[in-house]
Amino acid sequence: MKKILTATILLISTITFFQSQVIAPLNNSEYDTPTNSYFKDLNNELDPYIGTWKSTFQGKTVLIKITKQLKRPYELFDKNFYKDQLIMRYEIRDSANKILESSLNNSYTNNDIKYLIQSLGTNIKGNNEVDFLFSGGNCSVGYGFIYITKANSNQLKWSYYPGTTTRIDSICPPNKDYTIYLPETEGLIFTKQ
Amino acid sequence: MKKTLIFRLLLMAIFSISLFSCINEEFTAENSNTSLSSKITSRDSYKKASPWKEDEIFITKTQEVFLKIANPKYVQSKYGELYWNYAMSFGQFGENYLLVPVVRENKVSLLMEVVRKEDKVYFYEKEDAELIDFFNSVLFSTIIDFKESFVSSERNTAKIAAYVCTKRTIIVGCPPGVPDCVPITKTQTVCERKEGGGVPPKTFDPIGLDGGGGGGGGGGYDYPDPPPTDPCERMKALTQDPKVQNAVKNLKEHLTSGAGGEKGWKFNKTGEPTQTTQNANHSVNFGDASKLNGAYHNHTGTGVDMFSATDISTLIEIARYQSIGNAGNGFMGFVAPNGIHYVMSFNGNHVNLPTVGSYSETDILSWDTQQVILMFALLKNPEFKGPGGVLNSKGLEQIFFKTLQRMGLSNKVMLQSIDSNNNISEVKLNSNGTTQPIPCP
């Protein structure tokens, strides 16, 4: 009797737990989805982009490393969610091989998301692209969208659209670097390394 | 013979004395006329003689108020002559503050301090010896150079909202007849007037109320047409200001020109509006917020077409450097494709402002990022999608108010939208999280 009771309690708890977490497709709207939902890459749309890719732009070498992180927590509409995401780290070197900017060693485990490039979903533009958000550098300069599409099995295309920022001296001191180093262009080809 | 000689000498003496008197009278009269015409304007219309930019509107209107109520003989007898042409607002605008030199026996002996509070002006005696000496030099010395700068100071180490001071410098050259003297530099700093605490200032009495009489006095005098405090009226005045109209027109033309990129306009406390650097890393640099009354820029439509957390932080700093009681006069505006045009202003007093340094770069970057994440999410919902698949005004305004909430500024920043016919609406946040434009009357 005691065993039956324990098993029943366990069963109810398990059902309740899995019912409380909704697994939703990657691109479902958070607006209509209950809190604690998990936007999962059910169709493995993100996997083909994982890896190290390289390109050159205006004399600079651009290296990007894309990894996949499962169930990354975030908050929206006063609700808590989880999402499978691609995280992009990068390094840009000039023609003399000097590093201009690099996020390769950034862990992004604390609150500091400067230089973070994270996927928000796929196909918002209707081009079967992955939609990335770049948080920007100093004072958010350069923050905006990066859209990546597969050119072929060995290459991908990059398009980057920085948004507008403003700054004043007391918040954004003039002696900081506000250069946008990421390639601001459309259709740049990166080759898998 | 002797009598004739004496008589002739006497005649010559009389003639010489007469001649000398005439010359001296003419010289004296000419001198007096010169000094009167250039300096004394107790009753004449104000003509700026101060070398710096002053709040001429406030000086003119205050002089009108003063001349209407003052007993000139009483003022002359008790204080001296007010030299309105040399009145100085010391970097404060918005029709709030000025100092008028009072001259007796050809030197400034006192300053009349004028302060406006809403629709009343108050006159006080200011007996600051160093400031009086400064005014004496400005009025009666040969100025060979002058400068002005703004400095901010914090009241104490707890970094309570900073207030703004204006520092003026003059270099006094050699007086006539002394060609090889060493020029003297004189500097004076005047800060925004603080309310409360300390000894109350002594009233400057223009009427002679010592012996009684009613009206005005300690209760102030009626000030005509004070600047609007109602947000709708204030915004109407702003949109009708030719300087703002020109900047907005310039930005809208830039949007349709195909040139791309961002432009910005700074509405400086002194001088004309100036442009920011153009098309530099998609970042519009407004520089020193203490020198600004407002700022405008354009978005290009590639990101979130709404004020970012960075923009809101900038507005807070602009508001901080407005004169006390006028934090709401600071503004920030932007235009974007598809007819988007918003302006925001601070909806409170200086005590309501976040303390200096409240927002770290990490915080601001995080909030800016969250704006884009929210935009991406809203675009999945048809309710927030406008023509061309971009976020509509409902969605943009949601992003704004959510950002305010994250920054601890709910109900502290006012958002107004302006349509293509310059009709202004205040955008309100409803309790259910939706937004609603309330047209201004």
Side-chain angles (χ1 to χ4, degrees):
Chain A
M1 184 61 185
K2 200 174 174 184
K3 279 184 187 172
I4 294 168
L5 192 61
T6 309
T8 308
I9 292 168
L10 258 173
L11 183 64
I12 293 168
S13 302
T14 307
I15 291 167
T16 308
F17 173 75
F18 281 108
Q19 271 184 343
S20 70
Q21 175 147 85
V22 168
I23 308 286
L26 195 63
N27 293 320
N28 267 27
S29 167
E30 291 93 340
Y31 200 71
D32 307 312
T33 308
T35 191
N36 213 35
S37 295
Y38 171 19
F39 297 94
K40 193 174 163 73
D41 183 17
L42 296 167
N43 300 323
N44 297 316
E45 296 171 70
L46 303 178
D47 292 2
Y49 300 90
I50 298 169
T52 303
W53 311 79
K54 200 173 186 178
S55 183
T56 54
F57 180 72
Q58 291 179 351
K60 296 187 278 282
T61 305
V62 186
L63 186 83
I64 57 176
K65 277 189 179 171
I66 301 177
T67 56
K68 187 177 183 181
Q69 288 191 17
L70 303 179
K71 223 173 168 184
R72 275 186 104 234
Y74 66 107
E75 175 266 323
L76 210 53
F77 305 119
D78 298 321
K79 294 182 276 189
N80 295 316
F81 299 110
Y82 303 87
K83 187 186 281 193
D84 289 344
Q85 286 183 287
L86 292 176
I87 302 298
M88 195 192 301
R89 292 176 175 80
Y90 64 91
E91 183 174 272
I92 298 164
R93 292 175 182 257
D94 66 11
S95 54
N97 211 32
K98 181 185 149 199
I99 296 176
L100 296 172
E101 193 166 83
S102 177
S103 67
L104 290 182
N105 295 325
N106 290 10
S107 62
Y108 302 123
T109 50
N110 58 17
N111 217 16
D112 191 353
I113 55 171
K114 197 191 285 189
Y115 310 119
L116 172 65
I117 305 175
Q118 58 182 305
S119 68
L120 299 183
T122 61
N123 208 32
I124 198 78
K125 305 292 276 182
N127 298 324
N128 293 319
E129 82 285 349
V130 178
D131 311 305
F132 285 89
L133 164 61
F134 175 47
S135 289
N138 290 322
C139 283
S140 309
V141 170
Y143 91 130
F145 285 108
I146 300 170
Y147 303 111
I148 303 282
T149 52
K150 281 291 267 181
N152 53 54
S153 59
N154 215 32
Q155 290 179 322
L156 51 82
K157 267 193 205 168
W158 153 297
S159 298
Y160 165 43
Y161 305 95
T164 307
T165 57
T166 61
R167 57 185 207 267
I168 51 171
D169 293 343
S170 55
I171 299 172
C172 304
N175 60 349
K176 282 190 164 181
D177 186 2
Y178 300 108
T179 309
I180 297 176
Y181 291 104
L182 287 175
E184 186 184 343
T185 189
E186 291 176 316
L188 181 68
I189 295 290
F190 279 75
T191 305
K192 196 156 190 181
Q193 301 299 296
Chain B
M1 176 76 173
K2 201 174 172 184
K3 278 183 186 174
T4 310
L5 183 62
I6 291 168
F7 179 72
R8 281 180 184 171
L9 282 171
L10 276 170
L11 272 178
M12 278 175 66
I14 289 166
F15 178 76
S16 299
I17 289 166
S18 303
L19 198 63
F20 179 74
S21 297
C22 284
I23 291 169
N24 269 331
E25 274 174 9
E26 282 173 14
F27 184 72
T28 307
E30 188 183 358
N31 261 357
S32 298
N33 283 339
T34 302
S35 66
L36 274 169
S37 65
S38 67
K39 296 188 194 304
I40 296 181
T41 57
S42 281
R43 283 159 284 283
D44 293 341
S45 297
Y46 165 70
K47 287 188 191 74
K48 187 172 85 76
S50 156
W52 297 278
K53 187 163 167 59
E54 309 293 351
D55 188 346
E56 294 182 55
I57 295 172
F58 189 48
I59 296 170
T60 305
K61 285 162 81 173
T62 302
Q63 186 191 25
E64 283 170 14
V65 170
F66 189 91
L67 292 180
K68 217 168 160 183
I69 49 98
N71 178 336
K73 282 187 182 164
Y74 174 78
V75 171
Q76 180 93 25
S77 163
K78 177 161 183 181
Y79 300 106
E81 194 78 47
L82 271 71
Y83 276 35
W84 287 97
N85 283 358
Y86 283 90
M88 295 191 201
S89 57
F90 251 93
Q92 297 184 46
F93 295 83
E95 300 177 53
N96 285 317
Y97 183 86
L98 62 99
L99 294 164
V100 185
V102 185
V103 174
R104 196 194 282 280
E105 291 173 5
N106 288 322
K107 65 176 183 182
V108 179
S109 55
L110 178 71
L111 298 170
M112 181 176 77
E113 185 179 48
V114 184
V115 176
R116 180 182 68 84
K117 293 172 204 167
E118 293 180 12
D119 61 349
K120 298 272 191 201
V121 280
Y122 300 81
F123 304 118
Y124 302 111
E125 292 181 21
K126 195 162 179 77
E127 289 180 323
D128 184 321
E130 286 182 8
L131 199 46
I132 288 171
D133 175 68
F134 185 82
F135 269 85
N136 263 312
S137 295
V138 173
L139 266 71
F140 300 115
S141 302
T142 307
I143 310 291
I144 57 175
D145 198 7
F146 61 94
K147 280 182 279 201
E148 182 178 71
S149 60
F150 295 101
V151 292
S152 66
S153 59
E154 291 157 357
R155 288 190 199 161
N156 56 44
T157 53
K159 289 190 179 178
I160 293 183
Y163 55 95
V164 181
C165 307
T166 301
K167 181 175 158 183
R168 287 183 170 175
T169 304
I170 51 172
I171 300 177
V172 178
C174 298
V178 186
D180 296 323
C181 73
V182 176
I184 301 169
T185 300
K186 293 190 177 187
T187 300
Q188 271 300 297
T189 301
V190 171
C191 299
E192 290 166 328
R193 199 170 173 281
K194 291 176 279 185
E195 285 297 314
V199 177
K202 195 171 171 192
T203 299
F204 187 106
D205 176 13
I207 297 172
L209 290 174
D210 293 348
Y221 300 92
D222 290 338
Y223 181 80
D225 301 319
T229 53
D230 171 70
C232 279
E233 289 303 313
R234 199 165 56 216
M235 191 48 58
K236 262 188 201 161
L238 202 70
T239 54
Q240 286 165 3
D241 182 341
K243 292 177 185 174
V244 175
Q245 287 179 337
N246 288 339
V248 171
K249 181 167 174 278
N250 177 265
L251 290 171
K252 286 183 176 178
E253 283 169 355
H254 176 70
L255 277 177
T256 56
S257 71
E262 289 81 2
K263 281 179 86 167
W265 282 91
K266 299 188 284 188
F267 293 87
N268 302 301
K269 287 186 171 176
T270 58
E272 295 299 303
T274 49
Q275 283 198 52
T276 63
T277 326
Q278 193 170 337
N279 286 335
N281 295 307
H282 299 278
S283 182
V284 179
N285 183 7
F286 292 118
D288 187 346
S290 72
K291 294 181 178 169
L292 302 179
N293 285 326
Y296 248 90
H297 66 287
N298 73 278
H299 284 205
T300 57
T302 57
V304 180
D305 287 333
M306 178 41 78
F307 293 114
S308 63
T310 315
D311 293 339
I312 296 168
S313 310
T314 298
L315 170 71
I316 295 301
E317 294 312 304
I318 292 174
R320 197 187 303 287
Y321 288 103
Q322 295 300 298
S323 53
I324 297 292
N326 292 301
N329 286 351
F331 65 93
M332 252 201 116
F334 81 94
V335 294
N338 304 312
I340 293 172
H341 183 180
Y342 286 101
V343 184
M344 61 172 174
S345 55
F346 189 69
N347 192 21
N349 294 315
H350 276 81
V351 293
N352 306 125
L353 285 166
T355 55
V356 173
S358 286
Y359 306 130
S360 68
E361 189 189 0
T362 304
D363 290 332
I364 293 173
L365 204 131
S366 171
W367 293 325
D368 284 343
T369 297
Q370 284 168 352
Q371 282 202 335
V372 184
I373 293 172
L374 181 53
M375 178 174 90
F376 193 84
L378 288 170
L379 279 171
K380 295 176 190 172
N381 190 317
E383 187 186 344
F384 300 107
K385 227 169 177 173
V390 297
L391 203 63
N392 60 21
S393 58
K394 272 195 207 176
L396 291 171
E397 288 155 11
Q398 287 250 339
I399 290 174
F400 176 78
F401 285 107
K402 187 62 187 176
T403 307
L404 283 190
Q405 183 192 3
R406 290 193 166 116
M407 296 176 78
L409 290 171
S410 295
N411 300 314
K412 288 186 180 172
V413 178
M414 180 178 311
L415 181 69
Q416 289 168 304
S417 64
I418 302 170
D419 71 15
S420 53
N421 297 318
N422 268 354
N423 296 313
I424 303 159
S425 296
E426 186 185 338
V427 181
K428 292 273 200 193
L429 179 70
N430 298 320
S431 54
N432 61 2
T434 59
T435 60
Q436 186 181 357
I438 310 287
C440 285

